[in-house]
Amino acid sequence: MSGHGARARRLRRNPIIRDLVHETDLHLSNLVQPYFLAAQKNVKEPITGFTGVYRWSLDLLSKKIEIDLANGLKNFLLFGAAHSEKKDELGTEGYEEKGLLPSAIRTLKERFSDSIVLISDVCLCPYTSHGHCGLVKRTTTTLEIDNDSSLQPLGEMALVHARSGVDIVAPSDMMDFRIGHIREVLDNNNFTQTAIMAYTAKYASSYYGPFREALGSAPQGIDRSTYQMDFRNSTEALRELETDLAEGADIVMVKPALAYLDVIREFKERSPVPVAAYSVSAEYQMVKVLSASGLVDERKMALENLTAIRRSGADIIITYFAEFIAAEGWLK
Ligand code: PBG
Ligand code: ZN
C-alpha cells in the first residue's frame, strides 16, 4: 500500500495542528471545587487517606476562597457535618439555622456576594447517628430507610440553606420525590431563584471511601443499596432522569464520573438541562496514590480523566483537583 487516501496522521504532525483540530476543552468556569467545613476556629485539618484535602474552619475557608477567586475559580460545593455527639436519629443538626453549613453560606455570601456560585449539599447522612441519607424505620431485627418521612427534613434543610443565601441546593440522598418536594418548599417560600442540582444517577459505589472518612458518614447496619443505584444498570438511570426533570431539577448529575461515562453520555443526549458529573473522592485519590509512587504524572493523568468526563458529555465537573488546577495554572 502506498500514499493514497485517508491518513489520520496528517492532522497530528505538530502541536499547532493538533490544537487546531482538538475537540474538547476544560475551563475553570465549568469546574466546581468541593470543600468540607470544620466547626472550630483557625483549623485546616488534614483527612486521613485523602491527600491534600482538608476540613476547613470558616475563617480559613473564607481566605482560601479569596485566593481561589484570584486564581479564576468561582464555583464551590460545601459540605457540613455534625460532631458525633450532635448526631441524632433525625439528623436535627442538619436543618438548624445556626448550624455549620448555613452559617458558612451566610458568611461567604455576605463576603463574596455574586462573585462566587455557592452550592450546598443537602443530605441527612452527615447529621444522623445511623449515617443514612434518609430517616430510618426500625424493628427489633430490621432497619429500613423510609422514603416519604425523609422528604420533610430534606425540604427543611434546603429551605434553611436557601434562607442563608445559597445559589444552588444539591440533594444527594436519592430518596424518590425529593426534587419535587424541595422545589415546592422553595417556591412556597418565595425562593423561586434558588436552583436545584439533583444527584440524579448516584450509584452505590466503592469510590466514596475517602469522602466518608472526611465526614464520618459511613452508614450503619445496612449499606446504601436500597436507595443508591446498582452499578449494573444504566437504563434505570433514564428513569431517574425523567422523574428529576419532571420534578423540576435545574441541573442533573451523574456520580461517580469515570466509571460511568456511558451514563453521562446518555444524559447529555437526552437532557434539556445541563449535565454535571461528580468525579468523586477515590477517583481523585487513585491519581494521588499512583503519582506519589512515581508511576504516573499527576497533572497529566488528572487532566486526561477530567477531559474524558467532558468528552463524554458533562457540562459541569465537580472535582477535588479544581483548586490545584486554578492555583498552579494547569490549563494555561
Ligand atoms: C452522601 C454523599 C456521598 C458523596 C457525596 N455525598 C457518598 C456517600 O454516599 O456516602 C461522595 C463524594 C465523594 O466521594 O467525593 N450523601
Ligand atoms: Zn447522604
Side-chain angles (χ1 to χ4, degrees):
M1 282 297 289
S2 59
H4 299 294
R7 282 178 183 264
R9 291 185 54 192
R10 278 197 284 264
L11 299 182
R12 297 178 197 146
R13 274 178 44 238
N14 66 49
I16 314 291
I17 294 186
R18 291 195 291 274
D19 277 349
L20 173 69
V21 300
H22 86 286
E23 299 175 35
T24 310
D25 273 309
L26 276 179
H27 295 293
L28 282 180
S29 55
N30 302 117
L31 301 185
V32 178
Q33 171 67 40
Y35 280 129
F36 302 105
L37 293 163
Q40 313 86 312
K41 276 213 166 85
N42 196 33
V43 301
K44 179 184 169 190
E45 191 184 4
I47 300 163
T48 319
F50 206 168
T51 313
V53 177
Y54 300 89
R55 293 187 202 89
W56 296 86
S57 59
L58 185 48
D59 49 349
L60 296 192
L61 181 61
S62 190
K63 287 181 191 152
K64 177 64 165 76
I65 286 180
E66 192 170 336
I67 295 167
D68 291 338
L69 253 183
N71 292 329
L73 175 62
K74 302 174 183 178
N75 315 305
F76 305 94
L77 170 59
L78 296 186
F79 289 92
H83 254 282
S84 43
E85 63 287 2
K86 278 196 173 170
K87 296 188 186 195
D88 62 22
E89 190 83 356
L90 300 175
T92 318
E93 182 66 15
Y95 30 102
E96 195 58 63
E97 202 91 48
K98 294 201 170 74
L100 192 55
L101 182 45
S103 307
I105 295 167
R106 283 190 296 273
T107 304
L108 295 172
K109 268 295 173 182
E110 261 165 40
R111 174 153 181 200
F112 298 107
S113 184
D114 281 347
S115 62
I116 60 171
V117 171
L118 216 48
I119 309 171
S120 62
D121 180 62
V122 171
C123 201
L124 293 174
C125 61
Y127 311 103
T128 49
S129 42
H130 44 75
H132 280 288
C133 302
L135 299 182
V136 299
K137 226 175 18 195
R138 295 171 197 274
T139 68
T140 43
T141 51
T142 64
L143 184 152
E144 262 175 44
I145 314 308
D146 188 60
N147 194 88
D148 294 10
S149 66
S150 302
L151 300 179
Q152 193 274 334
L154 290 165
E156 193 62 32
M157 190 183 299
L159 181 57
V160 169
H161 293 180
R163 279 202 189 109
S164 303
V166 85
D167 297 291
I168 304 175
V169 291
S172 63
D173 53 283
M174 287 298 277
M175 296 302 117
D176 290 323
F177 310 126
R178 90 276 202 218
I179 301 303
H181 177 74
I182 289 171
R183 188 68 270 160
E184 189 184 332
V185 169
L186 293 178
D187 288 353
N188 288 343
N189 288 276
N190 291 319
F191 290 105
T192 55
Q193 293 306 303
T194 309
I196 302 177
M197 177 162 81
Y199 285 66
T200 297
K202 179 178 178 185
Y203 284 84
S205 170
S206 294
Y207 285 89
Y208 306 146
F211 173 94
R212 288 180 187 172
E213 178 71 31
L215 262 68
S217 63
Q220 287 170 13
I222 55 172
D223 66 15
R224 300 201 207 284
S225 48
T226 69
Y227 45 104
Q228 298 181 347
M229 283 188 56
D230 186 325
F231 59 69
R232 292 172 294 186
N233 298 346
S234 64
T235 318
E236 188 190 344
L238 302 179
R239 188 184 197 189
E240 292 281 5
L241 175 63
E242 222 170 83
T243 51
D244 280 3
L245 288 173
E247 291 175 31
D250 299 288
I251 298 170
V252 292
M253 190 208 292
V254 175
K255 173 185 174 184
L258 260 193
Y260 299 87
L261 298 180
D262 57 326
V263 181
I264 296 173
R265 170 56 63 90
E266 297 247 30
F267 272 34
K268 189 56 193 166
E269 283 169 3
R270 289 171 175 81
S271 172
V273 304
V275 175
Y278 195 147
S279 185
V280 299
S281 53
E283 294 180 46
Y284 166 89
Q285 189 64 16
M286 288 195 304
V287 177
K288 285 286 179 186
V289 170
L290 282 169
S291 64
S293 66
L295 290 170
V296 304
D297 180 287
E298 177 182 354
R299 288 188 189 200
K300 283 187 179 168
M301 184 175 245
L303 291 181
E304 181 177 342
N305 287 347
L306 295 172
T307 303
I309 294 165
R310 279 282 283 170
R311 197 183 63 232
S312 74
D315 300 297
I316 299 164
I317 305 177
I318 301 164
T319 170
Y320 300 94
F321 280 115
E323 57 160 313
F324 304 105
I325 293 173
E328 296 163 16
W330 294 10
L331 300 177
K332 281 176 192 148

